[in-house]
Amino acid sequence: MSKIYNNVLEIVGNTPLLYVRKLQENVNCNYGKVYTKLEMFNPGGSIKDRAAMEMILSAYDKGTNENKIHLLTYLLDEQTKKLYKEKDVEMFIVLNDILNKIENKEMVYDKESGEFRACQFKDFAILAADSKMFEEISQLLSYNHIPNLIFKNVEVNKGSILLIIKNIFKIISLDYKKEYNQEFLKCFYAIGRSFVYKYSDEELFDMVTTKQYQNSLLYKDISQFSQLVDTMSLHDLLDLFIEKTQMINKLIEIGDVEDNLIRIEYILKVIESIDKLNMDIFELIDCLEDILENEEKMEFPSAGINENKVKIMTIHKSKGLEFPIVYFIGNEKQFNMSEFKERFIYDDHYGIIAPFYIDGIGNTLTKILLKQRNNKAIISEKIRLLYVALTRAREQMIIISKGRDIEENCDDIVANNIREKYNSFSSIYSSINFVFSDCNKEINVEDLQINDNHLKSLKKDKVKEMVKYSVATPYF
């Protein structure tokens, strides 16, 4: 009979050894026997389980298991609800806490120097399940002179920038080879119609049919740059083209200015790396065409993670990152649970699910079971996502949530009937109130000093954002 263990800790380590008989026979090893250790029998399926358990137990033995999770809760009475939304309150809680910590020079551990120092803006991160609040948070922080950035990934192959740059190199290469074929005219049309030159279709048609395109500014530029192919690096060639055509200043024509600036900067860096591989313009064009034909998203960070700014990001974007102090907001947002409003549904397990009709349309037991199964999967995923959020903080994890009724839960393990009711992160917290018994702090909304000037500033900043690039300024 297999041994029965009392808890999961007893399973960690003591992994079985397997004598690799076939390998021993094939290699004719006479120096000893070959064994393999089956680490997959650890609870987490990894050799890291033992090291992780030792670190945790060691921390407990040393008394360093101080509670670094803080739950800041607030209540909105009927009068306050008329003045402020939940997101307004949460933004000001974060704002005030950051300002207080900076002013009081709260100490954080610097991993690079191995010493404690006063906290800086780069030590703070603000996480949320979605990005709808990010612009307002960023504007509020900026209004209060707190440098910040919304950390996101930018798709390099989204939009027209990469395609235009590929066509620029393509038409330069064709002019370099004196090949004025259909491919040349195709690139001429594409670049001419773009925001860089803004020719109308009628103008382009006349240029081509009358063979007057050689008198155009576009062709004169291309001809000039094709003469530099042998004497200039690909990076410098594109850099000079961007400067000569004032490409950056014209980005306002296509919108999404900040992301397109980042795309151009990223493409320049990639081409600079390609130069180091001694690739010529034709090989570069092949690389760019491969990227464009690739349907997978090619993403890269929009900003450096080490900049001295408060980082604002989704939980997904925070994966793999770590910050001394992390705020988690937007916990009241409801999970998108399965509704299944369609009358007919197909499922791989249940097959085709149709309603029944008895004095009206009703749902079958199968549809109810399907909904319960899917909702359980959604809740499980949200719990995993919460784990990611809570493990981003190295020193302080500050959760901001509206106060709510506490679920009846007398055990350290939450009952399944309570878990099945989870509909927000806040509802999860209320079911594990014993975790926050020593670290729950109630925030008085009146102490936040939210006033009309602050809220009006956000509206003004929104207007500024809309006209931010109405007057273009040089980038290079």
Side-chain angles (χ1 to χ4, degrees):
M1 181 177 177
S2 300
K3 181 179 178 180
I4 298 175
Y5 295 91
N6 295 315
N7 60 64
V8 73
L9 296 181
E10 294 182 3
I11 308 176
V12 177
N14 299 316
T15 49
L17 294 174
L18 177 66
Y19 175 43
V20 189
R21 187 180 303 278
K22 288 289 184 182
L23 177 63
Q24 191 81 27
E25 294 172 354
N26 291 338
V27 298
N28 296 319
C29 179
N30 298 320
Y31 301 100
K33 294 183 178 181
V34 178
Y35 295 89
T36 180
K37 203 167 188 181
L38 304 180
E39 298 292 350
M40 61 183 178
F41 284 92
N42 271 308
S46 169
I47 192 174
K48 297 177 182 177
D49 285 16
R50 292 193 301 277
M53 186 179 75
E54 287 301 319
M55 285 188 283
I56 293 171
L57 294 178
S58 175
Y60 274 102
D61 291 340
K62 294 177 181 178
T64 56
N65 58 320
E66 296 179 16
N67 199 334
K68 293 299 183 183
I69 298 180
H70 305 278
L71 178 63
L72 305 184
T73 57
Y74 60 92
L75 293 173
L76 295 179
D77 56 32
E78 293 302 320
Q79 183 62 32
T80 309
K81 287 180 182 179
K82 296 178 182 179
L83 298 175
Y84 315 120
K85 298 178 180 178
E86 291 169 358
K87 64 180 180 64
D88 296 329
V89 175
E90 294 189 10
M91 287 192 301
F92 278 91
I93 291 175
V94 173
L95 169 66
N96 288 345
D97 200 62
I98 292 176
L99 290 174
N100 288 336
K101 284 178 167 54
I102 292 291
E103 182 180 355
N104 296 326
K105 297 182 179 180
E106 187 162 319
M107 303 300 285
V108 297
Y109 181 73
D110 192 317
K111 292 180 67 175
E112 294 183 2
S113 66
E115 299 177 351
F116 285 91
R117 57 165 173 77
C119 63
Q120 302 173 11
F121 293 120
K122 67 179 181 180
D123 299 317
F124 298 91
I126 303 172
L127 304 186
D130 64 71
S131 57
K132 292 182 179 179
M133 297 172 61
F134 286 178
E135 288 297 336
E136 289 187 64
I137 296 170
S138 177
Q139 291 159 10
L140 179 63
L141 295 178
S142 298
Y143 181 81
N144 288 273
H145 311 293
I146 297 178
N148 65 88
L149 64 85
I150 299 174
F151 193 80
K152 60 182 179 179
N153 285 352
V154 176
E155 293 179 41
V156 67
N157 48 350
K158 181 180 179 181
S160 61
I161 294 297
L162 183 61
L163 178 60
I164 291 171
I165 290 176
K166 188 272 293 185
N167 285 331
I168 289 169
F169 279 113
K170 184 78 171 180
I171 198 170
I172 289 175
S173 69
L174 292 170
D175 187 70
Y176 174 81
K177 295 189 295 182
K178 307 301 180 186
E179 294 181 3
Y180 305 107
N181 49 25
Q182 288 297 317
E183 191 69 24
F184 177 89
L185 294 178
K186 182 179 176 181
C187 291
F188 187 87
Y189 264 100
I191 300 171
R193 295 178 73 246
S194 72
F195 71 94
V196 183
Y197 288 93
K198 293 185 6 180
Y199 290 129
S200 66
D201 289 337
E202 291 78 10
E203 289 175 312
L204 290 168
F205 181 79
D206 289 340
M207 289 180 197
V208 174
T209 54
T210 60
K211 298 183 179 181
Q212 296 297 314
Y213 63 84
Q214 293 183 346
N215 295 326
S216 67
L217 175 61
L218 169 55
Y219 180 79
K220 290 177 181 178
D221 287 342
I222 296 304
S223 178
Q224 176 186 349
F225 283 96
S226 67
Q227 297 174 30
L228 301 174
V229 169
D230 293 327
T231 59
M232 186 174 285
S233 69
L234 298 172
H235 171 275
D236 292 345
L237 197 68
L238 178 59
D239 197 1
L240 184 61
F241 184 91
I242 291 172
E243 182 179 1
K244 187 177 190 306
T245 59
Q246 296 187 331
M247 189 172 174
I248 300 300
N249 293 354
K250 299 173 182 177
L251 286 176
I252 185 64
E253 301 289 341
I254 58 173
D256 200 14
V257 176
E258 290 187 1
D259 284 356
N260 281 324
L261 284 173
I262 294 168
R263 288 188 182 98
I264 291 174
E265 184 177 349
Y266 178 79
I267 293 170
L268 281 168
K269 288 180 180 178
V270 170
I271 294 176
E272 186 176 22
S273 299
I274 288 175
D275 280 327
K276 295 177 181 178
L277 299 175
N278 295 319
M279 295 175 65
D280 59 29
I281 190 171
F282 307 105
E283 292 172 309
L284 170 62
I285 293 168
D286 290 339
C287 289
L288 296 178
E289 288 178 342
D290 287 342
I291 294 174
L292 287 165
E293 291 173 4
N294 188 351
E295 295 182 356
E296 294 183 7
K297 292 181 180 180
M298 293 189 60
E299 298 183 331
F300 56 95
S302 62
I305 200 66
N306 293 321
E307 291 186 46
N308 190 26
K309 298 178 180 180
V310 175
K311 311 302 185 299
I312 307 169
M313 64 184 73
T314 62
I315 300 174
H316 290 289
K317 290 292 183 290
S318 71
K319 290 181 178 179
L321 302 176
E322 184 185 58
F323 303 91
I325 303 170
V326 177
Y327 299 92
F328 187 24
I329 61 174
N331 290 284
E332 299 300 319
K333 180 178 172 58
Q334 299 290 296
F335 298 155
N336 292 321
M337 309 302 278
S338 299
E339 294 295 335
F340 294 121
K341 296 180 180 179
E342 301 87 354
R343 291 186 179 180
F344 296 91
I345 302 170
Y346 174 78
D347 180 75
D348 289 339
H349 179 73
Y350 292 111
I352 298 175
I353 302 173
F356 67 83
Y357 187 88
I358 302 178
D359 297 329
I361 296 175
N363 292 329
T364 62
L365 177 61
T366 307
K367 186 173 182 180
I368 295 172
L369 290 174
L370 175 63
K371 182 177 179 180
Q372 288 179 345
R373 187 198 70 186
N374 284 14
N375 284 344
K376 284 182 179 179
I378 292 171
I379 291 171
S380 296
E381 175 58 27
K382 294 300 182 181
I383 292 174
R384 286 191 288 271
L385 198 61
L386 177 60
Y387 168 80
V388 173
L390 297 181
T391 53
R392 297 312 94 199
R394 188 164 68 242
E395 299 183 25
Q396 292 186 50
M397 182 71 213
I398 302 170
I399 300 170
I400 301 171
S401 178
K402 189 170 71 172
R404 58 188 296 164
D405 294 334
I406 297 174
E407 293 281 358
E408 291 294 333
N409 188 51
C410 302
D411 200 349
D412 286 356
I413 299 177
V414 180
N416 285 333
N417 65 317
I418 295 178
R419 293 188 188 192
E420 291 171 0
K421 297 177 184 177
Y422 289 162
N423 57 10
S424 66
F425 288 118
S426 183
S427 66
I428 297 177
Y429 308 145
S430 67
S431 71
I432 52 173
N433 55 84
F434 55 88
V435 174
F436 305 107
S437 58
D438 297 327
C439 57
N440 187 0
K441 178 182 178 182
E442 293 185 8
I443 301 295
N444 188 340
V445 176
E446 294 181 359
D447 294 339
L448 297 176
Q449 297 181 345
I450 304 176
N451 55 52
D452 292 337
N453 289 334
H454 282 112
L455 298 179
K456 286 179 181 178
S457 73
L458 297 182
K459 295 179 181 179
K460 289 179 181 178
D461 283 344
K462 284 185 178 180
V463 175
K464 290 179 182 178
E465 188 69 21
M466 294 173 62
V467 299
K468 185 176 181 180
Y469 295 100
S470 60
V471 179
T473 54
Y475 180 66
F476 290 94

